[in-house]
Amino acid sequence: PADGPTSEELVHSAAKDNTLGFKIVQVTPAIVPVVADTEIPPAPMRPISGVADKIGVDDVLQITVFETGLGLFSSGIQTGTTNTAGNAMSTTLPPVTVGADGTIAIPYVGRVHAAGVSAEDLREYIENSLAKSKFASQPQVAVTVVTNLSNTILVSGDVKNPGRFPLTQTPERLLDAVTLAGSNVHLPYDTTVTLARGDAQQRMALGRITPLSPQNALLESGDRIYVAYEPRTYTAFGASLKPSEITFDTERVTLAQALARSNGLNDDKADPRGVYIFRFERSDVARQLGVETNGPLAPVVYRFDLTNPTTYFVAQQFQMRDHDLVYLADAKGTQLRKFLALVSAAFVPLSTAGSVA
C-alpha cells in the first residue's frame, strides 16, 4: 500500500509518461512574485440601455392636469379627482398602466407612446397636446411613475432580502444592490457575485469589488444579480497527518499555514524534499515559468524542499489558491519499512507458537 507516488516516480512521470503535459517547477524566492496573485478581474460590464428614468411596459403612471378657471378637465365631465385653489383647478386622472404596445390613453389627446421615454418628456408632450387643443385653459401637467416595474433589478441567492429593487435617479451600483438586499455573514472572498446583463455575465469574489473599482458596475434596468456562498478550499493528500479538504477561513492562506492546518508531515512516512502543489496555472504565468501550453490553463506542479531553510521563508509567502492540491510524497524507505513490517507480522505467530511448544 502507498499514499501515492514518490518524488522519483513523479519526476519520472513528468519526463516519460506525461500525456497531460505538466511540468515540475522547483520553487525558489524568485518564483513567488510571479505566481503571487494571477487572478484577472473581469472586464467591467458595458451599458446596454439608457438611464433608469425611462418609462416601460407595465409601469403605472399618475397624471395630474392643472388649469386656470373652469377648464376642460375641471368641468366635472371627466372622471377623476378635482381640487380648487383660488382660480386654479387640478384634476388627477385615474392611474393608467403602460400597455404591451408601449402606449397609454389620455382623454382629449388619444394614444400616447410612453415606453422608452422619460416622465419629463411625456409630461411635456401631453401638456403641448392639450394646449394645442384650445379646450384646456392654460394647462400644466405633472406625470408621476407610481409603480416602476420596468426600471428594476433582481437580486437573488445567499442574501437576507432577495427580490426586486427599483432603480432611482441616483445611479445605483453593484455593491449598493448587494447591500440593500442584505449581504450574508460569510467572508467577502468566500462570496461570489454574478451580474447578468442580457447575454453577458460578470462573476467575481465580493471581496475583490471595491467602491471605486470598474467591476462595481452601474446598474441597468433588467440586471440580475446572484450572490452565492462558495468557500475556497484546498486538499491535502499523501504522507500528511490529516489528509482532507480544508477551507481557507481567511482572506489569504500561505503554504506554511496550509501545512500546519493539515497537521504537517508524517514523520514516519513523509519525504521533506517532496512537498508538491498541483495547480492549473494561467497560460501567461505558466510561460514565465517555462511551461509551454496552447490552452488558457496549464498544469503545473510546484516542488518545495523543506530540508532547505530558505524554503521556510518561501512557504510563508507562497499564496495558496482555491482548488490547490497539496501532496506530501512518501520517503524512499517507506515502502521497504512497510515490507519488513509485513514480514515481521507473518513470522511473529510462528515464533510465538514455537515458544509455547
Side-chain angles (χ1 to χ4, degrees):
D3 296 306
T6 62
S7 290
E8 288 73 16
E9 291 170 337
L10 271 174
V11 172
H12 177 78
S13 296
K16 301 294 184 181
D17 185 21
N18 191 356
T19 57
L20 190 61
F22 71 89
K23 183 175 180 179
I24 298 177
V25 177
Q26 186 71 40
V27 177
T28 63
I31 297 291
V32 174
V34 177
V35 298
D37 188 358
T38 59
E39 182 178 346
I40 297 179
M45 299 287 279
R46 294 181 178 179
I48 58 174
S49 62
V51 295
D53 64 347
K54 304 300 184 183
I55 297 171
V57 175
D58 291 332
D59 284 355
V60 179
L61 309 179
Q62 187 78 69
I63 299 174
T64 301
V65 181
F66 298 87
E67 301 175 89
T68 59
L70 188 62
L72 178 63
F73 287 87
S74 59
S75 62
I77 300 175
Q78 176 63 37
T79 301
T81 302
T82 302
N83 298 307
T84 303
N87 292 327
M89 308 287 289
S90 67
T91 302
T92 301
L93 302 179
V96 58
T97 302
V98 181
D101 60 352
T103 66
I104 59 174
I106 303 296
Y108 308 108
V109 176
R111 303 297 299 185
V112 178
H113 191 81
V117 301
S118 66
E120 174 61 23
D121 291 338
L122 180 62
R123 179 206 66 76
E124 184 178 354
Y125 179 84
I126 296 173
E127 190 174 287
N128 292 336
S129 299
L130 290 174
K132 291 178 182 179
S133 70
K134 299 181 180 180
F135 294 109
S137 178
Q138 298 181 6
Q140 291 189 13
V141 176
V143 176
T144 304
V145 181
V146 179
T147 304
N148 192 344
L149 294 179
S150 60
N151 291 322
T152 59
I153 58 171
L154 180 64
V155 184
S156 60
D158 194 16
V159 292
K160 297 177 182 177
N161 304 303
R164 289 191 177 274
F165 295 87
L167 295 177
T168 65
Q169 297 300 312
T170 302
E172 279 90 5
R173 293 184 176 271
L174 182 57
L175 287 181
D176 299 331
V178 175
T179 302
L180 287 172
S183 57
N184 55 44
V185 295
H186 305 295
L187 286 173
Y189 278 84
D190 285 339
T191 302
T192 60
V193 178
T194 302
L195 171 60
R197 177 176 298 168
D199 296 330
Q201 283 192 357
Q202 169 186 301
R203 179 180 181 274
M204 66 183 306
L206 179 61
R208 288 188 174 272
I209 307 174
T210 63
L212 298 180
S213 67
Q215 286 68 42
N216 189 22
L218 279 171
L219 296 178
E220 298 278 350
S221 301
D223 281 351
R224 302 176 306 282
I225 301 169
Y226 181 74
V227 181
Y229 172 55
E230 298 180 358
R232 298 158 299 146
T233 63
Y234 66 92
T235 49
F237 286 95
S240 169
L241 289 173
K242 184 183 176 183
S244 57
E245 181 181 26
I246 303 172
T247 58
F248 276 45
D249 291 334
T250 56
E251 180 179 334
R252 299 181 184 276
V253 174
T254 65
L255 173 62
Q257 293 170 318
L259 292 176
R261 294 181 182 187
S262 61
N263 292 344
L265 285 67
N266 189 326
D267 290 343
D268 294 333
K269 300 190 299 180
D271 178 5
R273 295 180 176 85
V275 177
Y276 298 89
I277 293 180
F278 288 71
R279 175 186 295 175
F280 282 97
E281 198 64 84
R282 223 177 59 223
S283 58
D284 58 324
V285 176
R287 281 190 283 269
Q288 295 183 58
L289 301 173
V291 181
E292 294 298 328
T293 178
N294 296 324
L297 298 175
V300 179
V301 181
Y302 296 100
R303 182 176 183 177
F304 300 82
D305 181 4
L306 294 186
T307 63
N308 183 350
T310 303
T311 305
Y312 288 87
F313 293 99
V314 174
Q316 294 180 65
Q317 297 176 319
F318 192 93
Q319 300 291 331
M320 297 293 293
R321 203 89 54 75
D322 190 20
H323 300 309
D324 274 354
L325 187 152
V326 181
Y327 175 70
L328 308 181
D330 281 348
K332 291 181 179 180
T334 300
Q335 294 301 318
L336 177 60
R337 186 170 64 252
K338 289 181 180 180
F339 174 73
L340 294 178
L342 289 172
V343 172
S344 175
F347 279 96
V348 166
L350 297 177
S351 175
T352 302
S355 299
V356 172

